[in-house]
Amino acid sequence: MTKSDLIDMLCESQKLPKGRAELLVNIIFDSMETSLRRGERIEIRGFGSFEIRNYRAYEGRNPRTGVAVSVKPKRLPFFKVGKELKERVDASRGAAPARVVAKRAPGPTAPGTSDGTPAPATQAKTGPMPAESDAEQAPPAGVTRATA
């Protein structure tokens, strides 16, 4: 969801002109930004909280060249999800839309095929849990599933 989507939803649900809805959303975000700049904590019950975290200076490395780089101290906003929102999102797992899978460039061909058919993808060992519809499919080659 984008800021524009939020404005559109406010227009539809509250029957507000688009200019008025945009003004309201901007006022809310500006107020939150001002509070965070002052170092204040923002708590929205049932949703979560925002606070500023201070980070010390440290010596980092440029990943491309490996050269040591001095990183300045900084203050960054941090969001902590609230218990109610966490539970509601978790409860809606079954109703989640299908995951969008990015298209990949053709990779190596499967053994025994010379027609350019890509080899089957292997399942990642880390990352989010597969959706229920994905879990019911057969496991990838080389992966065994325990049954009780």
Side-chain angles (χ1 to χ4, degrees), residues 104-111 113 115-121:
R104 294 185 179 186
T109 59
T113 62
D115 61 354
T117 308

Side-chain angles (χ1 to χ4, degrees), residues 15-52:
K15 307 292 187 240
L16 293 172
K18 191 164 189 160
R20 173 75 91 192
E22 184 175 3
L23 178 66
L24 290 172
V25 169
N26 286 335
I27 288 171
I28 291 169
F29 288 159
D30 291 344
S31 300
M32 292 174 73
E33 179 184 341
T34 302
S35 294
L36 290 171
R37 283 177 183 245
R38 288 191 302 243
E40 297 173 355
R41 185 171 184 269
I42 301 169
E43 183 176 329
I44 303 170
R45 300 243 182 228
F47 183 76
S49 61
F50 297 86
E51 63 184 39
I52 293 295

Side-chain angles (χ1 to χ4, degrees), residues 95-138:
R99 294 188 315 194
V100 176
V101 178
K103 291 183 180 180
R104 294 185 179 186
T109 59
T113 62
S114 59
D115 61 354
T117 308
T122 58
Q123 186 174 10
K125 297 183 192 292
T126 61
M129 293 177 50
E132 289 179 29
S133 60
D134 294 343
E136 294 173 5
Q137 296 176 355

Side-chain angles (χ1 to χ4, degrees), residues 39-141:
E40 297 173 355
R41 185 171 184 269
I42 301 169
E43 183 176 329
I44 303 170
R45 300 243 182 228
F47 183 76
S49 61
F50 297 86
E51 63 184 39
I52 293 295
R53 293 216 174 154
N54 295 307
Y55 296 91
R56 298 184 315 243
Y58 63 94
E59 287 294 317
R61 296 229 173 254
N62 180 329
R64 184 169 287 170
T65 64
V67 175
V69 177
S70 176
V71 179
K72 297 177 182 177
K74 52 191 160 195
R75 295 170 20 131
L76 297 174
F78 179 80
F79 175 73
K80 182 178 178 188
V81 67
K83 181 181 174 186
E84 288 179 35
L85 177 61
K86 192 184 308 183
E87 290 171 353
R88 285 183 288 189
V89 168
D90 189 46
S92 68
R93 277 190 336 185
R99 294 188 315 194
V100 176
V101 178
K103 291 183 180 180
R104 294 185 179 186
T109 59
T113 62
S114 59
D115 61 354
T117 308
T122 58
Q123 186 174 10
K125 297 183 192 292
T126 61
M129 293 177 50
E132 289 179 29
S133 60
D134 294 343
E136 294 173 5
Q137 296 176 355

